Coordinates of all heavy atoms in Angstrom, one line a residue:
M1 N 6.0 6.9 4.4 CA 6.8 6.2 3.4 C 7.6 5.2 4.0 O 8.3 5.5 5.1 CB 7.7 7.2 2.7 CG 8.6 6.6 1.6 SD 7.8 6.4 0.0 CE 7.4 8.0 -0.5
I2 N 7.5 4.0 3.6 CA 8.2 2.8 4.0 C 9.0 2.3 2.9 O 8.5 2.0 1.9 CB 7.3 1.7 4.7 CG1 6.6 2.3 5.9 CG2 8.1 0.5 5.0 CD1 5.6 1.4 6.5
N3 N 10.3 2.2 3.1 CA 11.2 1.5 2.1 C 11.0 0.0 2.2 O 11.2 -0.6 3.3 CB 12.7 2.0 2.5 CG 13.6 1.4 1.5 OD1 13.7 0.2 1.1 ND2 14.6 2.3 1.1
A4 N 10.7 -0.7 1.2 CA 10.4 -2.1 1.1 C 11.7 -2.9 1.6 O 11.5 -4.0 2.1 CB 10.0 -2.5 -0.2
Q5 N 12.9 -2.3 1.4 CA 14.1 -3.0 1.8 C 14.4 -2.9 3.3 O 14.7 -3.8 3.9 CB 15.3 -2.4 1.0 CG 15.3 -2.8 -0.4 CD 16.5 -2.2 -1.2 OE1 16.7 -0.9 -1.2 NE2 17.2 -3.0 -1.8
S6 N 14.2 -1.7 3.8 CA 14.6 -1.5 5.2 C 13.4 -1.7 6.1 O 13.6 -1.8 7.4 CB 15.2 -0.1 5.4 OG 14.4 0.9 4.9
G7 N 12.2 -1.6 5.7 CA 11.0 -1.8 6.6 C 10.7 -0.6 7.3 O 11.1 0.5 7.0
I8 N 9.9 -0.8 8.4 CA 9.4 0.3 9.2 C 10.6 0.9 10.0 O 11.2 0.3 10.8 CB 8.3 -0.1 10.1 CG1 7.1 -0.7 9.4 CG2 7.8 1.1 11.0 CD1 6.2 -1.4 10.2
E9 N 10.8 2.2 9.8 CA 11.9 2.9 10.6 C 11.4 3.7 11.8 O 10.2 4.0 11.8 CB 12.7 3.7 9.6 CG 13.5 2.9 8.5 CD 14.2 3.7 7.6 OE1 14.2 4.9 7.6 OE2 15.0 3.0 6.8
V10 N 12.2 4.0 12.6 CA 11.9 4.7 13.9 C 11.1 6.0 13.6 O 10.0 6.2 14.2 CB 13.1 5.0 14.8 CG1 12.7 5.8 16.0 CG2 13.8 3.7 15.2
N11 N 11.5 6.8 12.8 CA 10.9 8.1 12.5 C 9.5 7.9 11.8 O 8.5 8.7 12.1 CB 11.7 9.0 11.6 CG 12.7 9.7 12.5 OD1 12.6 9.9 13.7 ND2 13.8 10.2 11.9
T12 N 9.4 6.9 11.0 CA 8.1 6.6 10.4 C 7.1 6.2 11.4 O 6.0 6.7 11.4 CB 8.3 5.5 9.3 OG1 9.2 5.7 8.4 CG2 6.9 5.1 8.6
R13 N 7.5 5.3 12.3 CA 6.6 4.9 13.4 C 6.3 6.1 14.3 O 5.0 6.2 14.6 CB 7.4 3.8 14.3 CG 6.4 3.2 15.3 CD 7.1 2.1 16.1 NE 8.2 2.7 16.9 CZ 9.4 2.2 16.9 NH1 9.8 1.2 16.2 NH2 10.3 2.8 17.7
R14 N 7.1 6.9 14.6 CA 6.9 8.0 15.5 C 5.9 9.0 14.9 O 4.9 9.4 15.4 CB 8.2 8.8 15.9 CG 8.0 9.9 16.9 CD 9.3 10.6 17.2 NE 10.0 11.1 16.1 CZ 9.7 12.2 15.4 NH1 8.7 13.0 15.9 NH2 10.3 12.7 14.4
V15 N 6.1 9.4 13.6 CA 5.3 10.3 12.9 C 3.9 9.8 12.7 O 2.9 10.5 12.9 CB 5.9 10.8 11.6 CG1 4.9 11.6 10.7 CG2 7.2 11.6 11.8
F16 N 3.8 8.5 12.4 CA 2.5 7.8 12.2 C 1.7 7.8 13.5 O 0.5 8.2 13.4 CB 2.7 6.4 11.7 CG 1.6 5.7 11.1 CD1 1.3 5.9 9.7 CD2 0.7 5.0 11.8 CE1 0.2 5.3 9.1 CE2 -0.4 4.3 11.2 CZ -0.7 4.5 9.9
E17 N 2.3 7.5 14.6 CA 1.6 7.5 15.9 C 1.2 8.9 16.3 O 0.1 9.1 16.8 CB 2.5 6.8 16.9 CG 2.5 5.3 16.6 CD 3.6 4.6 17.4 OE1 4.3 5.2 18.3 OE2 3.7 3.4 17.3
E18 N 2.1 9.9 16.1 CA 1.7 11.3 16.5 C 0.6 11.8 15.6 O -0.3 12.5 16.2 CB 3.0 12.2 16.4 CG 4.0 11.9 17.4 CD 3.5 12.2 18.8 OE1 2.8 13.2 19.1 OE2 3.9 11.3 19.7
A19 N 0.6 11.5 14.4 CA -0.5 11.9 13.5 C -1.9 11.3 14.0 O -2.9 11.9 14.0 CB -0.3 11.5 12.1
G20 N -1.8 10.1 14.4 CA -3.0 9.4 15.0 C -3.5 10.0 16.2 O -4.6 10.3 16.4
K21 N -2.6 10.5 17.0 CA -3.0 11.1 18.3 C -3.6 12.5 18.0 O -4.5 12.9 18.7 CB -1.7 11.3 19.2 CG -1.2 10.1 19.9 CD 0.0 10.5 20.7 CE 0.7 9.2 21.2 NZ 2.0 9.6 21.9
A22 N -3.2 13.2 17.0 CA -3.7 14.4 16.5 C -4.9 14.3 15.6 O -5.5 15.3 15.3 CB -2.6 15.2 15.8
G23 N -5.3 13.1 15.4 CA -6.5 12.9 14.6 C -6.4 13.2 13.1 O -7.4 13.4 12.4
I24 N -5.2 13.1 12.7 CA -4.8 13.3 11.2 C -4.8 12.0 10.5 O -4.4 11.0 11.0 CB -3.5 14.0 11.1 CG1 -3.4 15.3 11.8 CG2 -3.0 14.1 9.7 CD1 -2.0 15.9 11.9
G25 N -5.5 12.0 9.3 CA -5.6 10.8 8.5 C -4.2 10.4 8.1 O -3.3 11.2 8.0
R26 N -4.0 9.1 7.9 CA -2.7 8.6 7.6 C -2.8 7.6 6.4 O -3.7 6.9 6.2 CB -2.1 7.8 8.8 CG -1.8 8.8 9.9 CD -1.7 8.1 11.3 NE -3.1 7.6 11.6 CZ -3.3 6.8 12.6 NH1 -2.3 6.4 13.4 NH2 -4.5 6.3 12.9
L27 N -1.7 7.6 5.6 CA -1.6 6.8 4.4 C -0.2 6.3 4.4 O 0.8 7.0 4.6 CB -1.9 7.5 3.2 CG -1.8 6.8 1.9 CD1 -2.9 5.8 1.7 CD2 -1.7 7.8 0.7
I28 N 0.0 5.0 4.1 CA 1.4 4.4 4.0 C 1.7 4.1 2.5 O 0.9 3.6 1.9 CB 1.5 3.1 4.8 CG1 1.3 3.3 6.3 CG2 2.8 2.4 4.6 CD1 1.1 2.1 7.1
V29 N 2.9 4.6 2.1 CA 3.3 4.4 0.8 C 4.5 3.5 0.9 O 5.5 3.8 1.6 CB 3.6 5.7 0.0 CG1 4.3 5.4 -1.3 CG2 2.4 6.5 -0.1
I30 N 4.6 2.4 0.2 CA 5.8 1.6 0.2 C 6.5 1.8 -1.1 O 6.1 1.6 -2.2 CB 5.4 0.1 0.3 CG1 4.5 -0.2 1.6 CG2 6.6 -0.9 0.3 CD1 3.9 -1.6 1.7
S31 N 7.8 2.1 -0.9 CA 8.8 2.4 -2.0 C 9.7 1.3 -2.2 O 9.9 0.4 -1.4 CB 9.4 3.8 -1.8 OG 10.3 3.7 -0.7
K32 N 10.5 1.4 -3.3 CA 11.6 0.5 -3.6 C 11.2 -0.9 -3.8 O 11.9 -1.9 -3.5 CB 12.7 0.5 -2.5 CG 13.1 1.9 -2.1 CD 14.2 2.4 -3.0 CE 14.6 3.8 -2.4 NZ 15.7 4.3 -3.0
M33 N 9.9 -1.1 -4.3 CA 9.4 -2.5 -4.6 C 10.1 -3.2 -5.7 O 10.1 -4.3 -6.0 CB 7.9 -2.5 -4.9 CG 7.1 -2.3 -3.6 SD 7.3 -3.6 -2.5 CE 6.8 -5.1 -3.3
D34 N 10.9 -2.4 -6.5 CA 11.7 -2.9 -7.6 C 13.0 -3.4 -7.2 O 13.8 -3.9 -8.0 CB 11.8 -1.9 -8.7 CG 12.4 -0.6 -8.4 OD1 12.5 -0.3 -7.1 OD2 12.8 0.2 -9.3
A35 N 13.3 -3.4 -5.9 CA 14.7 -3.8 -5.4 C 14.7 -5.3 -5.3 O 13.6 -5.9 -5.3 CB 15.0 -3.1 -4.1
D36 N 15.8 -5.9 -5.2 CA 16.0 -7.3 -5.0 C 15.7 -7.7 -3.5 O 15.8 -6.8 -2.6 CB 17.4 -7.8 -5.3 CG 17.7 -7.6 -6.7 OD1 16.8 -7.8 -7.6 OD2 18.9 -7.4 -7.1
N37 N 15.3 -8.9 -3.2 CA 15.1 -9.5 -1.9 C 14.0 -8.8 -1.1 O 14.1 -8.5 0.1 CB 16.4 -9.4 -1.1 CG 17.5 -10.2 -1.8 OD1 17.2 -11.4 -2.4 ND2 18.7 -9.8 -1.8
I38 N 12.9 -8.5 -1.8 CA 11.8 -7.9 -1.1 C 10.8 -9.0 -0.7 O 10.5 -9.9 -1.5 CB 11.0 -6.9 -2.1 CG1 11.9 -5.8 -2.5 CG2 9.8 -6.4 -1.4 CD1 12.6 -4.9 -1.5
D39 N 10.4 -8.9 0.6 CA 9.5 -9.9 1.1 C 8.2 -9.2 1.4 O 7.9 -8.8 2.6 CB 10.0 -10.7 2.3 CG 9.1 -11.8 2.8 OD1 8.0 -11.9 2.3 OD2 9.5 -12.5 3.7
F40 N 7.4 -8.9 0.4 CA 6.1 -8.1 0.6 C 5.2 -8.6 1.7 O 4.7 -7.9 2.5 CB 5.4 -8.0 -0.7 CG 4.3 -7.0 -0.7 CD1 4.4 -5.7 -0.6 CD2 2.9 -7.5 -0.9 CE1 3.3 -4.8 -0.6 CE2 1.9 -6.7 -0.8 CZ 2.0 -5.3 -0.7
P41 N 4.9 -9.9 1.7 CA 3.9 -10.4 2.7 C 4.5 -10.2 4.1 O 3.7 -9.8 5.0 CB 3.9 -12.0 2.4 CG 4.2 -12.0 1.0 CD 5.2 -11.0 0.6
S42 N 5.8 -10.3 4.3 CA 6.3 -10.1 5.7 C 6.2 -8.6 6.0 O 6.0 -8.2 7.1 CB 7.8 -10.6 5.7 OG 7.8 -11.9 5.7
L43 N 6.5 -7.7 5.1 CA 6.4 -6.3 5.3 C 4.9 -5.9 5.6 O 4.7 -5.2 6.6 CB 6.8 -5.5 4.1 CG 6.7 -4.0 4.2 CD1 7.6 -3.5 5.3 CD2 7.2 -3.3 2.8
I44 N 3.9 -6.5 4.9 CA 2.6 -6.2 5.3 C 2.2 -6.7 6.7 O 1.5 -6.0 7.4 CB 1.6 -6.8 4.2 CG1 1.8 -6.1 2.8 CG2 0.1 -6.6 4.6 CD1 1.7 -4.6 2.8
E45 N 2.8 -7.9 7.0 CA 2.5 -8.4 8.3 C 3.1 -7.6 9.4 O 2.5 -7.3 10.4 CB 3.1 -9.8 8.4 CG 2.9 -10.5 9.7 CD 3.5 -11.9 9.7 OE1 3.5 -12.6 8.7 OE2 4.0 -12.3 10.8
S46 N 4.3 -7.0 9.2 CA 4.9 -6.1 10.2 C 4.2 -4.8 10.3 O 4.0 -4.3 11.4 CB 6.4 -5.9 9.8 OG 6.5 -5.1 8.7
I47 N 3.6 -4.3 9.2 CA 2.8 -3.1 9.2 C 1.5 -3.3 10.1 O 1.1 -2.6 10.9 CB 2.4 -2.6 7.8 CG1 3.6 -2.0 7.1 CG2 1.3 -1.5 7.9 CD1 3.5 -1.8 5.6
R48 N 0.9 -4.5 9.8 CA -0.4 -4.8 10.6 C -0.1 -5.1 12.0 O -0.9 -4.8 12.9 CB -1.1 -5.9 9.9 CG -1.7 -5.4 8.6 CD -2.6 -6.4 7.9 NE -3.4 -5.8 6.9 CZ -3.7 -6.5 5.8 NH1 -3.5 -7.8 5.6 NH2 -4.4 -5.9 4.8
K49 N 1.1 -5.7 12.3 CA 1.4 -5.9 13.6 C 1.7 -4.6 14.4 O 1.4 -4.5 15.6 CB 2.7 -6.8 13.7 CG 3.1 -7.2 15.1 CD 4.4 -8.0 15.1 CE 4.1 -9.5 15.2 NZ 5.3 -10.3 15.3
M50 N 2.3 -3.6 13.7 CA 2.6 -2.4 14.4 C 1.4 -1.4 14.5 O 1.2 -0.9 15.6 CB 3.6 -1.6 13.4 CG 4.0 -0.2 13.9 SD 5.1 -0.2 15.3 CE 6.5 -1.1 14.7
W51 N 0.5 -1.4 13.5 CA -0.7 -0.5 13.6 C -2.0 -1.1 13.4 O -3.0 -0.4 13.5 CB -0.5 0.6 12.4 CG 0.7 1.4 12.7 CD1 0.9 2.2 13.8 CD2 1.9 1.6 11.9 NE1 2.2 2.9 13.7 CE2 2.7 2.5 12.6 CE3 2.2 1.1 10.7 CZ2 3.9 2.9 12.0 CZ3 3.4 1.5 10.1 CH2 4.3 2.4 10.8
G52 N -2.1 -2.4 13.3 CA -3.4 -3.1 13.4 C -3.9 -3.5 12.0 O -3.4 -3.1 11.0
N53 N -5.0 -4.3 12.0 CA -5.5 -4.9 10.8 C -6.4 -3.8 10.1 O -6.9 -4.1 9.0 CB -6.4 -6.1 11.1 CG -5.5 -7.3 11.4 OD1 -4.4 -7.4 10.9 ND2 -6.1 -8.2 12.3
H54 N -6.5 -2.6 10.6 CA -7.3 -1.6 9.9 C -6.4 -1.0 8.8 O -6.9 -0.3 8.0 CB -7.9 -0.6 10.8 CG -6.8 0.1 11.7 ND1 -6.4 -0.4 12.9 CD2 -6.1 1.3 11.4 CE1 -5.5 0.4 13.4 NE2 -5.3 1.4 12.5
C55 N -5.2 -1.4 8.7 CA -4.3 -1.0 7.6 C -4.7 -1.9 6.4 O -4.5 -3.1 6.5 CB -2.8 -1.2 7.9 SG -2.2 -0.1 9.2
I56 N -5.2 -1.3 5.4 CA -5.7 -2.1 4.2 C -4.9 -1.7 3.0 O -4.4 -0.6 2.9 CB -7.1 -1.9 4.0 CG1 -7.5 -0.5 3.7 CG2 -8.0 -2.4 5.1 CD1 -8.8 -0.2 3.2
L57 N -4.8 -2.7 2.0 CA -4.1 -2.4 0.8 C -5.0 -1.8 -0.2 O -6.1 -2.3 -0.4 CB -3.6 -3.8 0.2 CG -2.5 -4.5 1.0 CD1 -2.3 -5.9 0.5 CD2 -1.2 -3.6 1.0
L58 N -4.5 -0.7 -0.8 CA -5.4 -0.1 -1.9 C -4.8 -0.5 -3.2 O -5.5 -0.5 -4.2 CB -5.3 1.5 -1.7 CG -5.9 2.0 -0.4 CD1 -5.8 3.6 -0.4 CD2 -7.3 1.6 -0.3
N59 N -3.5 -0.7 -3.3 CA -2.8 -1.2 -4.4 C -1.9 -2.4 -4.0 O -1.3 -2.3 -2.9 CB -1.9 -0.2 -5.1 CG -2.7 0.9 -5.7 OD1 -3.7 0.7 -6.4 ND2 -2.5 2.2 -5.4
V60 N -1.7 -3.4 -4.9 CA -0.8 -4.5 -4.6 C 0.2 -4.6 -5.8 O -0.2 -4.3 -6.9 CB -1.5 -5.8 -4.4 CG1 -2.4 -5.8 -3.1 CG2 -2.4 -6.1 -5.5
P61 N 1.4 -4.8 -5.5 CA 2.4 -5.0 -6.5 C 2.1 -6.2 -7.4 O 1.7 -7.3 -6.9 CB 3.8 -5.1 -5.8 CG 3.4 -5.7 -4.5 CD 2.0 -5.1 -4.2
L62 N 2.4 -6.0 -8.7 CA 2.4 -7.2 -9.6 C 3.9 -7.6 -9.8 O 4.6 -7.1 -10.6 CB 1.8 -6.8 -10.9 CG 0.4 -6.3 -10.8 CD1 -0.1 -5.7 -12.2 CD2 -0.6 -7.3 -10.3
G63 N 4.3 -8.5 -8.9 CA 5.7 -9.0 -8.9 C 6.5 -8.2 -8.0 O 6.0 -7.3 -7.2
H64 N 7.9 -8.4 -7.9 CA 8.8 -7.6 -7.1 C 10.2 -7.8 -7.7 O 10.4 -8.7 -8.6 CB 8.7 -8.1 -5.7 CG 9.2 -9.5 -5.5 ND1 8.3 -10.6 -5.6 CD2 10.3 -10.1 -5.1 CE1 8.9 -11.7 -5.4 NE2 10.2 -11.4 -5.0
G65 N 11.1 -6.9 -7.3 CA 12.4 -7.0 -7.8 C 12.4 -6.6 -9.3 O 11.6 -5.8 -9.8
H66 N 13.2 -7.3 -10.1 CA 13.3 -7.0 -11.5 C 12.1 -7.4 -12.3 O 11.8 -7.0 -13.4 CB 14.5 -7.7 -12.1 CG 15.8 -7.1 -11.5 ND1 16.2 -5.8 -11.8 CD2 16.8 -7.7 -10.8 CE1 17.4 -5.6 -11.2 NE2 17.7 -6.7 -10.5
S67 N 11.2 -8.3 -11.6 CA 10.0 -8.7 -12.3 C 8.8 -7.9 -11.9 O 7.6 -8.2 -12.3 CB 9.8 -10.2 -11.9 OG 9.4 -10.3 -10.5
L68 N 9.0 -6.8 -11.2 CA 7.9 -5.9 -10.9 C 7.3 -5.3 -12.3 O 8.0 -4.7 -13.0 CB 8.3 -4.7 -10.0 CG 7.2 -3.8 -9.6 CD1 6.1 -4.4 -8.7 CD2 7.9 -2.5 -8.9
K69 N 6.0 -5.5 -12.4 CA 5.4 -5.1 -13.7 C 4.4 -3.9 -13.5 O 3.9 -3.3 -14.4 CB 4.6 -6.2 -14.3 CG 5.5 -7.3 -14.8 CD 4.7 -8.4 -15.4 CE 5.6 -9.5 -16.0 NZ 6.6 -10.1 -15.2
G70 N 4.2 -3.6 -12.2 CA 3.2 -2.4 -11.9 C 2.5 -2.8 -10.6 O 2.9 -3.6 -9.8
V71 N 1.3 -2.1 -10.5 CA 0.5 -2.4 -9.3 C -1.0 -2.6 -9.8 O -1.4 -2.1 -10.9 CB 0.5 -1.2 -8.3 CG1 1.9 -1.0 -7.7 CG2 0.0 0.1 -9.0
A72 N -1.8 -3.3 -9.0 CA -3.2 -3.5 -9.3 C -4.0 -2.9 -8.2 O -3.6 -3.0 -7.0 CB -3.5 -5.0 -9.4
S73 N -5.0 -2.2 -8.5 CA -5.9 -1.6 -7.5 C -6.8 -2.7 -6.9 O -7.4 -3.5 -7.5 CB -6.8 -0.5 -8.2 OG -7.7 0.0 -7.3
T74 N -7.0 -2.5 -5.6 CA -7.9 -3.4 -4.9 C -9.3 -2.8 -4.9 O -10.3 -3.4 -4.4 CB -7.5 -3.7 -3.4 OG1 -7.4 -2.5 -2.7 CG2 -6.1 -4.4 -3.4
L75 N -9.4 -1.6 -5.4 CA -10.7 -0.9 -5.3 C -11.5 -1.1 -6.7 O -12.7 -0.9 -6.7 CB -10.5 0.6 -5.1 CG -9.8 1.0 -3.8 CD1 -9.6 2.5 -3.7 CD2 -10.6 0.5 -2.6
R76 N -10.8 -1.4 -7.7 CA -11.4 -1.6 -9.0 C -11.8 -3.1 -9.2 O -11.0 -3.9 -9.3 CB -10.5 -1.2 -10.2 CG -10.3 0.3 -10.2 CD -9.5 0.7 -11.4 NE -9.2 2.1 -11.4 CZ -8.2 2.6 -12.0 NH1 -7.3 1.8 -12.6 NH2 -8.0 3.9 -11.9
V77 N -13.1 -3.2 -9.2 CA -13.7 -4.6 -9.3 C -14.1 -4.8 -10.8 O -14.8 -4.0 -11.4 CB -14.8 -4.8 -8.4 CG1 -15.4 -6.2 -8.6 CG2 -14.5 -4.6 -7.0
P78 N -13.6 -5.9 -11.5 CA -14.0 -6.1 -12.9 C -15.6 -6.1 -12.9 O -16.2 -6.7 -12.1 CB -13.4 -7.4 -13.2 CG -12.3 -7.6 -12.2 CD -12.7 -6.9 -11.0
T79 N -16.0 -5.5 -14.0 CA -17.5 -5.5 -14.2 C -17.9 -5.6 -15.6 O -17.1 -5.4 -16.5 CB -18.1 -4.1 -13.6 OG1 -19.5 -4.2 -13.8 CG2 -17.5 -2.9 -14.2
T80 N -19.1 -5.9 -15.9 CA -19.5 -6.0 -17.3 C -20.4 -4.8 -17.7 O -20.9 -4.8 -18.7 CB -20.5 -7.3 -17.5 OG1 -21.5 -7.2 -16.6 CG2 -19.6 -8.5 -17.2
R81 N -20.4 -3.7 -16.9 CA -21.1 -2.5 -17.2 C -20.5 -1.8 -18.4 O -19.3 -2.0 -18.7 CB -21.1 -1.5 -16.0 CG -21.7 -2.0 -14.8 CD -21.8 -0.9 -13.8 NE -22.1 -1.5 -12.5 CZ -22.1 -0.9 -11.4 NH1 -21.6 0.3 -11.3 NH2 -22.4 -1.5 -10.3
M82 N -21.3 -1.0 -19.1 CA -20.9 -0.3 -20.2 C -19.9 0.8 -19.8 O -20.2 1.4 -18.7 CB -22.1 0.3 -20.9 CG -21.7 0.9 -22.3 SD -23.2 1.7 -23.1 CE -24.2 0.2 -23.2
A83 N -19.0 1.2 -20.5 CA -18.1 2.3 -20.2 C -18.9 3.6 -20.2 O -19.8 3.8 -21.0 CB -17.0 2.3 -21.3
P84 N -18.5 4.5 -19.3 CA -19.3 5.7 -19.1 C -19.3 6.6 -20.4 O -20.3 7.3 -20.6 CB -18.5 6.5 -18.0 CG -17.8 5.5 -17.3 CD -17.5 4.3 -18.2
S85 N -18.3 6.5 -21.2 CA -18.2 7.2 -22.5 C -19.3 6.7 -23.5 O -19.7 7.4 -24.4 CB -16.9 7.2 -23.1 OG -16.6 5.8 -23.4
R86 N -19.8 5.6 -23.3 CA -20.9 5.0 -24.2 C -22.3 5.1 -23.7 O -23.2 4.7 -24.4 CB -20.6 3.5 -24.5 CG -19.2 3.3 -25.1 CD -19.0 1.9 -25.6 NE -20.0 1.6 -26.5 CZ -20.2 0.4 -26.9 NH1 -19.4 -0.6 -26.6 NH2 -21.2 0.1 -27.8
I87 N -22.4 5.7 -22.5 CA -23.8 5.9 -22.0 C -24.4 7.2 -22.5 O -23.7 8.3 -22.4 CB -23.8 6.0 -20.4 CG1 -23.3 4.6 -19.9 CG2 -25.2 6.3 -19.9 CD1 -23.1 4.6 -18.4
R88 N -25.6 7.2 -23.1 CA -26.2 8.4 -23.6 C -27.0 9.1 -22.4 O -27.6 8.5 -21.6 CB -27.3 8.0 -24.7 CG -26.7 7.5 -25.9 CD -27.7 7.2 -26.9 NE -27.1 6.6 -28.1 CZ -27.7 6.5 -29.2 NH1 -28.9 6.9 -29.4 NH2 -27.0 5.9 -30.2
R89 N -26.8 10.4 -22.4 CA -27.4 11.2 -21.4 C -28.6 12.0 -21.9 O -28.6 12.4 -23.0 CB -26.4 12.1 -20.7 CG -25.3 11.3 -20.1 CD -24.4 12.1 -19.3 NE -23.2 11.4 -18.9 CZ -23.1 10.7 -17.8 NH1 -24.0 10.8 -16.9 NH2 -21.9 10.1 -17.6

């Protein structure tokens, strides 16, 4: 868990690295995106600088601070396929 206001903290870095050494999968969650003065691009840059470009975004914020409206998935690609509930089996 990384607080968007304070960035990567010592214990976060230590636990993340120890989990990697142990072969445990890791996931980063960024909290407090609704706070003021958040620099999301800089935070992502610091995460990638710390742990490499294999850190990928699964969700991206839609705005920040008081204008945060939610998140968008990077895994859902718009498509013209029919909804599963309308497919006859």
Side-chain angles (χ1 to χ4, degrees):
M1 176 82 63
I2 296 175
N3 181 317
Q5 291 177 303
S6 56
I8 302 168
E9 296 181 351
V10 174
N11 282 337
T12 302
R13 185 178 67 230
R14 185 180 57 78
V15 170
F16 197 86
E17 290 170 359
E18 289 300 318
K21 288 178 189 175
I24 299 171
R26 295 158 291 171
L27 176 76
I28 298 170
V29 175
I30 301 172
S31 65
K32 311 276 184 171
M33 283 300 299
D34 58 343
D36 292 327
N37 301 320
I38 301 301
D39 187 352
F40 185 71
S42 291
L43 179 57
I44 297 305
E45 183 179 326
S46 68
I47 289 169
R48 288 188 171 149
K49 184 182 262 186
M50 178 73 58
W51 294 300
N53 286 329
H54 57 273
C55 293
I56 60 169
L57 294 170
L58 300 179
N59 292 309
V60 293
L62 301 173
H64 63 278
H66 295 295
S67 66
L68 180 67
K69 293 178 175 54
V71 296
S73 173
T74 62
L75 302 177
R76 291 189 183 149
V77 179
T79 180
T80 58
R81 293 184 196 171
M82 188 182 302
S85 61
R86 297 191 57 189
I87 297 174
R88 292 184 186 192
R89 299 190 192 264

